[in-house]
Amino acid sequence: MPHDGPHHHHDHAPDDPSFASRSAIGARALRELLEEAGVLAPGEVARQVERMDTITPALGAQVVARAWVDPEFKARLLADGSAAVREFGVEMGATPLHVVENTETVHNMIVCTLCSCYPKPLLGIPPDWYKSFEYRSRAVREPRAVLAEFGVRVPDEIAVRVHDSTADLRYLVLPRRPEGTEGWDEARLAEIVSRDCMIGTALPNA
């Protein structure tokens, strides 16, 4: 999908080098003030960035695979996503995680229409297309067309539900377990769960 610019309007666009430079200076100044005030420990921001860089969608894939083989865990995941992923050592913090399940009658798709809200503690950094203006605007207006561009063609008899992530809530799609995976263990199942499957723009394939 083409990547349009962000939805905010400034005298200088966010991808303008001068804008980026001023933003970096402002962020550094704010960080230094917070460190001087004792709100942040020295180096805490850098450590958090490094930690985020180590998180990959493989962690979310493990959660999905567990839900496919363990009905009790699946029930906990759908009832309280934040509590369930804590069993994998994942802390969602103050932002709750809501897990939506794909079924024979419903296909779920995640978007953040305002910016790029995303379950980073579970999936890592969101892809560029997820943050693009085109995806954010079109996903809610013509989700079937957008899904088709990703190669996912949802039959008319299956409802498409689009969930808008916000600063107060994160979503994760629990895809349907594909046929032909009977007897597979969790590790093998996790290998067929991609990042896009957990956003709803792809389907796991055995």
Side-chain angles (χ1 to χ4, degrees), residues 160-183:
V160 175
R161 294 179 182 169
V162 180
H163 304 269
D164 193 359
S165 288
T166 69
D168 301 316
L169 182 63
R170 299 289 190 271
Y171 286 96
L172 181 81
V173 172
L174 174 59
R176 294 181 65 193
R177 179 174 177 171
E179 296 180 0
T181 60
E182 296 79 7

Side-chain angles (χ1 to χ4, degrees), residues 7 30 52 58 61 128-129 143 146:
H7 66 288
L30 177 60
M52 191 62 65
D128 288 342
W129 58 260
V146 173

Side-chain angles (χ1 to χ4, degrees), residues 1 14 21 37-38 53-54 60 71-72 80 92 94-95 106 111-112 118 123 136 142-143 147 149 172 182:
M1 296 175 60
S21 177
D53 286 342
T54 66
E72 293 184 356
D80 187 340
M92 294 301 299
T95 309
V106 174
V111 67
C112 176
Y118 187 77
L123 300 184
R136 291 187 286 113
E142 46 182 359
L147 287 171
E149 292 173 15
L172 181 81
E182 296 79 7

Side-chain angles (χ1 to χ4, degrees), residues 113 133-146 162:
T113 55
F133 177 76
E134 183 182 8
Y135 178 77
R136 291 187 286 113
S137 60
R138 292 182 59 215
V140 293
R141 291 188 289 105
E142 46 182 359
R144 291 180 186 273
V146 173
V162 180

